[in-house]
Amino acid sequence: MNIDFFKKEKVAMMKEKNKDAVSALNVVINKIMLATIEKRAKNEELSEGDVLSILQKTEKELIEEKSGFEKAGEAYADKVASLDSQIKTVKSYLPQMMGKDEIKKIILSLADKSVPSVMRHFKANYNGKCDMKEVNEVLRSL
């Protein structure tokens, strides 16, 4: 997934007149553009993991925003519904997250089970496919 992919998806959503999906994709596209500029300044390329990280961060921000509007009351029911739709759109581009059993299996297969080593391994190989907090919890429970 790259910026061109999301631009094509946005065009498709515009044709479907899906305003919420277009809004969500606009946010994702803008964040990808900013990340690309930051990476280029360091002579690096934007990776698939970076894009997944952007999607996860966007989803989290939308959930927090929705939570704020839910607390504000019934007057914002339309905004909450819109944010629900945007969250659904962003989630549709995220891969299935790894479960605790899968994480545990990978940790047990590693030679070095120290916290820094395990965290580095997951960040390098499974970035965007697992929740790093969950990896930390599983590691500490072993």
Side-chain angles (χ1 to χ4, degrees):
M1 287 185 284
N2 60 21
I3 195 159
D4 294 328
F5 169 79
F6 287 107
K7 285 180 179 178
K8 287 177 186 169
E9 290 290 305
K10 179 183 162 189
V11 169
M13 292 300 135
M14 289 170 77
K15 288 178 181 174
E16 291 179 18
K17 295 182 176 23
N18 186 340
K19 291 178 185 174
D20 294 332
V22 171
S23 293
L25 290 168
N26 277 333
V27 171
V28 170
I29 290 167
N30 288 336
K31 288 184 179 201
I32 291 173
M33 288 172 74
L34 289 171
T36 302
I37 291 167
E38 288 173 12
K39 288 283 188 173
R40 281 191 190 143
K42 300 175 188 173
N43 287 330
E44 297 174 5
E45 289 291 317
L46 194 69
S47 70
E48 184 82 18
D50 293 329
V51 173
L52 290 174
S53 183
I54 289 168
L55 286 168
Q56 288 171 331
K57 188 174 183 182
T58 303
E59 177 192 24
K60 185 177 179 184
E61 289 169 356
L62 288 169
I63 289 170
E64 288 171 2
E65 186 178 350
K66 176 186 154 197
S67 174
F69 279 108
E70 285 174 336
K71 289 176 186 170
E74 284 297 312
Y76 296 101
D78 290 346
K79 186 67 176 168
V80 170
S82 171
L83 287 167
D84 264 338
S85 179
Q86 291 179 43
I87 292 166
K88 205 177 291 183
T89 299
V90 173
K91 271 187 178 179
S92 71
Y93 298 106
L94 287 168
Q96 183 68 33
M97 296 299 268
M98 295 170 70
K100 288 185 178 187
D101 293 336
E102 195 175 354
I103 292 170
K104 185 176 182 179
K105 188 174 165 184
I106 293 167
I107 292 172
L108 293 174
S109 72
L110 297 174
D112 182 3
K113 293 176 184 62
S114 67
V115 174
S117 175
V118 169
M119 298 307 268
R120 253 192 318 273
H121 176 78
F122 274 88
K123 187 122 179 111
N125 298 305
Y126 302 101
N127 191 16
K129 296 176 184 154
C130 64
D131 183 353
M132 295 306 282
K133 288 180 187 173
E134 201 166 330
V135 171
N136 196 7
E137 289 172 16
V138 171
L139 180 59
R140 298 208 185 274
S141 71
L142 294 176

